[in-house]
Amino acid sequence: MSADDWRPGATLEVLRVRAGLMRRIRDFFDARDVLEVDTPVLGHAGSSDVHLDSLSLKARTINGDERLWLQTSPEYHMKRLLAAGSGPIFQLARAFRNGEMGRRHNIEFTMLEWYRPGFTLEALIQEVAALIETVLDRTLPAVRLRAYRELFMTHLSVDPLLESADTLDKLRHQAARYAGAETADWSRDDCCDLLMSLVIEPCLGRDGLDVVVDYPASQAALARRRTDSDGALIAARFEVYLEGIELANGFDELTDADEQQARFEADNQVRARLGKSPVDADQCLISALRAGMPQGCGVALGVDRLIMLALGLEHIDSAMAFGTARC
């Protein structure tokens, strides 16, 4: 950036409104007796999620020179608090994801994350909808559950949960059509992610809140897996969309330490196959799960995107004081 381009991306009026919306979020959780917490931006582990790229740095600590990771979300630390008996908690956190730049993405952003021990996914979805209505200061006309499989059948005439060569060929054909690139070596999830982003997401949340549920089990991340009514293995998670924008991602949280360790290891194996660097797994989280994290659900919501919707802004840089391009 040019040194002459020193001004903030957001106007001062937007920043004043943003501050008010932050207070509104805190009041929302205070009224529900949910504790606000503050966890580290730097940690000894990063996210091994294949679809995320963590930022790391070398730091001089009491143990000498160590590699530390800027957190892609406060999830791991917050789960350690849950295992320590915190009860329901929330956080307005700074999060970092390398390479994520665009109209709705910034490398550094504000994430609202909260956890509800004892909640079902259905209860958490209702609370997410109530939070969004509170911030937007309007009633949503509808809150609809949309099955991942049905969306693909409707928009692309392919069942993404069928693990067959024919299904993979169909997904690759559709992905090539929309990506304008060769997809012969793409995985099922690669194809589904692109098609969800380019074809399905823009249609969601156009006349109310759409909540996508029953994702493929391969996209469980840190959520539990379960079997649906047709016998297919699916991820117990949801994503929330409004006006074509993904706002939130919620999980019925995995509490099995051995399963979590296996997923960390599997993630790094995939990263190696893709030529990506391995990411240090959070062994403190594994220990916390072994000690006993309570069952429940959690969700992460992009605050800057929600502020964009609240104020009718077109670019994320206009919702924050300084986006990465200006800092």
Side-chain angles (χ1 to χ4, degrees), residues 107-173:
I107 291 175
E108 179 182 358
F109 60 98
T110 301
M111 176 178 285
L112 168 62
E113 191 151 331
W114 75 96
Y115 291 88
R116 283 294 209 163
F119 262 39
T120 63
L121 280 180
E122 291 74 17
L124 186 58
I125 288 169
Q126 292 304 313
E127 188 165 68
V128 171
L131 182 278
I132 292 172
E133 288 184 329
T134 297
V135 173
L136 298 182
D137 195 24
R138 61 182 171 90
T139 301
L140 297 168
V143 178
R144 294 176 299 267
L145 298 185
R146 310 291 300 274
Y148 187 93
R149 168 186 261 160
E150 292 177 5
L151 288 169
F152 271 77
M153 293 293 290
T154 299
H155 291 273
L156 296 156
S157 300
V158 60
D159 185 343
L161 299 189
L162 290 180
E163 297 188 18
S164 68
D166 181 60
T167 297
L168 183 55
D169 285 344
K170 289 178 180 178
L171 287 169
R172 285 173 172 167
H173 174 75

Side-chain angles (χ1 to χ4, degrees), residues 232-254:
L233 191 62
I234 57 173
R237 53 171 291 212
F238 64 84
E239 290 191 3
V240 176
Y241 293 85
L242 185 61
E243 297 180 21
I245 297 177
E246 178 198 340
L247 288 178
N249 189 359
F251 295 163
D252 183 352
E253 300 295 346
L254 180 66

Side-chain angles (χ1 to χ4, degrees), residues 14-198:
V14 165
L15 294 179
R16 292 187 185 98
V17 174
R18 179 187 175 105
L21 296 180
M22 292 295 199
R23 286 193 295 273
R24 194 175 293 176
I25 290 170
R26 288 188 164 96
D27 290 345
F28 178 90
F29 288 108
D30 184 61
R32 288 160 175 75
D33 199 25
V34 180
L35 176 68
E36 182 172 8
V37 297
D38 185 16
T39 60
V41 168
L42 283 174
H44 284 89
S47 172
S48 61
D49 189 322
V50 177
H51 302 291
L52 299 179
D53 289 321
S54 301
L55 290 161
S56 66
L57 54 84
K58 291 284 185 67
R60 187 174 299 114
T61 73
I62 58 173
N63 299 317
D65 289 342
E66 291 188 278
R67 188 185 196 188
L68 298 179
W69 300 84
L70 287 164
Q71 300 299 286
T72 58
S73 95
E75 180 171 7
Y76 297 166
H77 289 102
M78 292 183 77
K79 287 183 172 178
R80 288 164 62 181
L81 289 175
L82 291 168
S86 66
I89 51 177
F90 84 96
Q91 181 171 185
L92 285 162
R94 304 302 288 181
F96 303 82
R97 296 182 180 182
N98 196 19
E100 296 200 4
M101 294 286 290
R103 190 165 68 88
R104 299 173 183 171
H105 295 84
N106 195 66
I107 291 175
E108 179 182 358
F109 60 98
T110 301
M111 176 178 285
L112 168 62
E113 191 151 331
W114 75 96
Y115 291 88
R116 283 294 209 163
F119 262 39
T120 63
L121 280 180
E122 291 74 17
L124 186 58
I125 288 169
Q126 292 304 313
E127 188 165 68
V128 171
L131 182 278
I132 292 172
E133 288 184 329
T134 297
V135 173
L136 298 182
D137 195 24
R138 61 182 171 90
T139 301
L140 297 168
V143 178
R144 294 176 299 267
L145 298 185
R146 310 291 300 274
Y148 187 93
R149 168 186 261 160
E150 292 177 5
L151 288 169
F152 271 77
M153 293 293 290
T154 299
H155 291 273
L156 296 156
S157 300
V158 60
D159 185 343
L161 299 189
L162 290 180
E163 297 188 18
S164 68
D166 181 60
T167 297
L168 183 55
D169 285 344
K170 289 178 180 178
L171 287 169
R172 285 173 172 167
H173 174 75
Q174 293 277 28
R177 173 187 170 194
Y178 287 99
E182 177 58 53
T183 60
D185 60 346
W186 283 27
S187 70
R188 182 178 63 152
D189 283 339
D190 289 337
C191 296
C192 286
D193 286 345
L194 180 135
L195 293 169
M196 185 71 178
S197 175
L198 296 184

